């Protein structure tokens, strides 16, 4: 599995300008921390040889897709770090929690007591179908309504004109979360 690495989460956290700071004065009321967006998507600014994620990674051959996703770029990152959705390199609750637990700068018990509790960030791991998706005039639920697992698998893996697969839009129904 290509789960987000600890380094990726730490880099994203460290790059935030609104990261919480330590206070030496007791907090009187709850402190709200920002909500983190872990939506699985491709970076729209990514380009490799003049092509974005969808165009660069448009292939029917899994081995070619895997090789392209694992290509190391000049900045030391891999294509899958930018093309998370297409390379199936999305954040998972377990990966985020493990990375957070392993951080050395994770919040710890303060020497000065807090008067009332502080709130932790809200993480949204909702797995859902794209409500705007249509194939032959049918949305995810209608297009994928079948009792035969092999038919569902074939439909979920169908490549669309934009280079993505049906499972990229119908994440819940195709069990692609």
């Amino acid at each position: 599995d290509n789960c987000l690495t600890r380094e990726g989460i730490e880099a994203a956290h460290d790059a935030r300008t609104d990261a919480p700071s330590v206070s030496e004065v007791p907090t009187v009321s709850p402190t709200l921390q920002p909500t983190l967006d872990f939506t699985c998507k491709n970076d729209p600014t990514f380009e490799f040889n003049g092509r974005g994620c969808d165009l660069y990674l448009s292939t029917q051959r899994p081995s070619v897709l895997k090789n392209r996703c694992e290509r190391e770029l000049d900045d030391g990152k891999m294509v899958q770090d930018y093309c998370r959705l297409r390379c199936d390199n999305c954040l998972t609750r377990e990966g985020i929690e493990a990375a957070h637990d392993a951080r050395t700068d994770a919040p710890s018990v303060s020497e000065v007591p807090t008067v009332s509790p502080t709130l932790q960030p809200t993480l949204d791991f909702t797995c859902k179908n794209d409500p705007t998706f249509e194939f032959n005039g049918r949305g995810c639920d209608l297009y994928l309504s079948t009792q035969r697992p092999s038919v569902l698998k074939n439909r979920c893996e169908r490549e669309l004109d934009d280079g993505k697969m049906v499972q990229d839009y119908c994440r819940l129904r195709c069990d692609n979360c």
Side-chain angles (χ1 to χ4, degrees):
D1 289 320
N2 287 328
C3 294
L4 183 66
T5 63
R6 178 179 329 150
E7 293 80 18
I9 290 178
E10 289 174 355
H13 180 270
D14 294 343
R16 289 190 7 219
T17 58
D18 58 352
S21 59
V22 178
S23 170
E24 294 181 18
V25 179
T27 306
V28 178
S29 59
T31 304
L32 294 176
Q33 292 183 5
T35 300
L36 303 176
D37 179 13
F38 291 103
T39 307
C40 187
K41 57 188 170 189
N42 295 327
D43 182 342
T45 64
F46 171 80
E47 278 195 9
F48 184 78
N49 291 339
R51 298 181 291 176
C53 291
D54 292 337
L55 189 57
Y56 177 63
L57 299 171
S58 65
T59 179
Q60 293 285 355
R61 298 184 345 227
S63 61
V64 172
L65 178 64
K66 182 178 186 298
N67 286 339
R68 289 181 183 174
C69 287
E70 292 176 353
R71 177 183 292 263
E72 188 169 340
L73 303 170
D74 293 337
D75 63 2
K77 293 184 179 182
M78 292 194 284
V79 170
Q80 68 186 5
D81 296 326
Y82 295 98
C83 304
R84 293 193 177 282
L85 183 62
R86 185 68 177 103
C87 292
D88 194 24
N89 186 29
C90 300
L91 299 170
T92 64
R93 178 186 304 269
E94 294 78 19
I96 293 167
E97 288 173 352
H100 180 269
D101 292 344
R103 286 181 59 105
T104 56
D105 61 345
S108 59
V109 177
S110 66
E111 294 179 23
V112 180
T114 306
V115 177
S116 54
T118 58
L119 301 177
Q120 294 294 315
T122 302
L123 304 178
D124 182 12
F125 294 99
T126 306
C127 182
K128 55 189 172 192
N129 296 327
D130 182 347
T132 64
F133 171 81
E134 277 195 14
F135 184 78
N136 291 339
R138 298 180 288 172
C140 292
D141 291 337
L142 188 56
Y143 177 63
L144 299 171
S145 64
T146 179
Q147 296 299 317
R148 299 184 321 194
S150 62
V151 172
L152 177 63
K153 182 178 185 295
N154 286 338
R155 289 181 182 174
C156 287
E157 293 176 352
R158 177 184 292 263
E159 186 164 339
L160 303 170
D161 293 340
D162 63 359
K164 293 183 181 180
M165 291 193 266
V166 170
Q167 67 186 0
D168 297 332
Y169 295 100
C170 303
R171 298 179 67 75
L172 182 62
R173 183 68 177 104
C174 292
D175 196 22
N176 186 30
C177 300

